[in-house]
Structures are given as C-alpha cells and as structure tokens.
Amino acid sequence: GDSVTQMEGPVTLSEEAFLTINCTYTATGYPSLFWYVQYPGEGLQLLLKATKADDKGSNKGFEATYRKETTSFHLEKGSVQVSDSAVYFCALSEIKGAQKLVFGQGTRLTINP
Amino acid sequence: DAGVIQSPRHEVTEMGQEVTLRCKPISGHDYLFWYRQTMMRGLELLIYFNNNVPIDDSGMPEDRFSAKMPNASFSTLKIQPSEPRDSAVYFCASRRAGDTYEQYFGPGTRLTVT
C-alpha cells in the first residue's frame, strides 16, 4: 500500500540555520502531497501542499517541491526561527477510495536561540 | 468560520470507566476522520465517515471502541471499558468532498486512563 517515510528526528538547529526535512513516498499513481505542522498542545495544521509533479508548495517561508522522479517532497526553509519549533508531518492522499491521508511518522524540530 | 471543535480537551478517567469523546466538524464538510496519536505508534486513523456513514473502521483497535455520527454536525468516539493503554491524544478531522484532499484537524482530546 501507499506509504510515507520521513527523516528521523529529533532535529535541533540554531536560529537562522537552513532547514531540510526529507520525505519520500511510495504510491500508485500521482497522489497529492502535504506537509502538516503540529505545535505543542495543538492539532495538525496544513502547512503547504502540491497536487502534481513539479508543483512547489510554499507558506511561511517553507517550501517543498513535488519530485516525481525521486518520489520525494522535501521540506526546506532558508532561515528558521524559534517559533518554528514543532513536529512536522509529511503526508500523501490516496488516489482511490476516499483519498485518505497517509502520514509519515513525524519529525520533531527544535530551534535554539 | 469555526474550525473543527472537540470536547473535552482533557479527560482523566479510571480503568473500566466509559469515555465519550465529541467532535463537531466544519460546516459543509462531507468526511469526518478519527485519529489516535501516541509516542509509540504515531498518528493512526481509527475510522472515517462519509455523509454520516461509517466507511472504514479497520483502524479501530478492538470492540471496546465504537464511533457514531448521528448527523452532519456531530460525531462521538466511545471507549467502554477504558484501559490504561488507551491513553493518547485523539483527533477529529474533516474535509469537503472535491477538495484537494486536505483535512482540517481539531485541537484534540488528551485522554489519560489511570
């Protein structure tokens, strides 16, 4: 079945560092891809999405590009802030049925001042 | 527009007691999902509904768990009897048919069973 594999955490960076969180997927066809963010004590929030190959999703300085050739959707940010500390989930939508979301295991990011 | 609403936000109960978690999806959304999040198992889909009808409950861990959606604006997840291993954060999410499949999550209910 469809699956998502994320870079294992936790990841700790200093403020203003460059961030990459790797995400690769296995799916039949061409699913939509998502990054969700979960701040402490809160539910998951959609951060960005891409619905077809070569699309770039972006929001709040974060970017991810849908790479069909490498089945990847890596999350990047050029200069992280302390407020970016959270857990990040990569997800894909199944092509068939109810298009359920399949989530990766999550990557905990901590940014130190 | 209000987001997904869940209640209670925190629940502490003793083993053997019945627990009911509640969810109000975003108005106009056709799909409702229940998830469980733990450190050990991550985020697990328990069950989902389409137009108030349960479609896939294969993620429900055992018969102690049941979920209902009596109308488009309300769903419950019940655990009876509860056990310590049910301690987790339970999320409800909803989405509209025809959207690009993104789901909107509630704030979650943190359940502790002692």
Side-chain angles (χ1 to χ4, degrees), chain A residues 32 34 36 38 41-46 49 51 87 89 93-95 97-101 103-105 108, chain B residues 9 31 33 35 37 39 42-43 45 48 55-56 58 89 91 95 100-108 110:
Chain A
S32 293
F34 306 87
Y36 278 81
Q38 184 179 28
E42 298 183 13
L44 279 71
Q45 302 174 24
L46 180 65
K49 67 182 180 185
T51 58
V87 181
F89 292 89
S93 64
E94 294 179 328
I95 297 296
Q99 293 87 33
K100 294 182 295 184
L101 292 181
F103 287 90
Q105 72 271 35
R108 181 175 298 277
Chain B
R9 292 295 310 276
Y31 287 86
F33 303 81
Y35 292 89
Q37 185 179 40
M39 290 293 292
L43 195 63
L45 176 64
Y48 75 90
I55 303 300
D56 183 355
S58 59
V89 181
F91 290 104
R95 75 167 180 88
T100 51
Y101 316 128
E102 64 251 38
Q103 296 176 15
Y104 298 83
F105 282 75
R110 181 173 295 278

Side-chain angles (χ1 to χ4, degrees), chain B residues 82-97:
Chain B
S82 58
E83 296 183 3
R85 59 192 167 121
D86 301 330
S87 297
V89 181
Y90 291 81
F91 290 104
C92 177
S94 69
R95 75 167 180 88
R96 191 194 321 269

Side-chain angles (χ1 to χ4, degrees), chain A:
Chain A
D2 297 352
S3 65
V4 174
T5 302
Q6 277 182 244
M7 161 181 184
E8 287 199 19
V11 174
T12 302
L13 297 172
S14 297
E15 204 165 22
E16 299 184 2
F18 184 86
L19 168 71
T20 299
I21 300 178
N22 290 337
C23 171
T24 57
Y25 66 90
T26 302
T28 305
Y30 305 110
S32 293
L33 301 174
F34 306 87
W35 277 100
Y36 278 81
V37 59
Q38 184 179 28
Y39 298 104
E42 298 183 13
L44 279 71
Q45 302 174 24
L46 180 65
L47 179 60
L48 54 83
K49 67 182 180 185
T51 58
K52 60 183 187 297
D54 300 325
D55 266 2
K56 177 185 285 187
S58 61
N59 186 25
K60 299 181 180 179
F62 291 90
E63 293 182 340
T65 300
Y66 191 136
R67 301 288 187 199
K68 183 179 65 174
E69 323 78 53
T70 54
T71 61
S72 65
F73 193 54
H74 305 320
L75 183 67
E76 297 182 336
K77 186 174 185 181
S79 176
V80 292
Q81 306 300 313
V82 172
S83 57
D84 293 327
S85 298
V87 181
Y88 292 81
F89 292 89
C90 185
L92 64 79
S93 64
E94 294 179 328
I95 297 296
K96 298 179 180 178
Q99 293 87 33
K100 294 182 295 184
L101 292 181
V102 176
F103 287 90
Q105 72 271 35
T107 301
R108 181 175 298 277
L109 173 66
T110 301
I111 307 300
N112 294 320

Side-chain angles (χ1 to χ4, degrees), chain B residues 5-16:
Chain B
I5 299 172
Q6 290 187 249
S7 65
R9 292 295 310 276
H10 302 273
E11 178 78 41
V12 180
T13 190
E14 292 184 347
M15 183 174 63

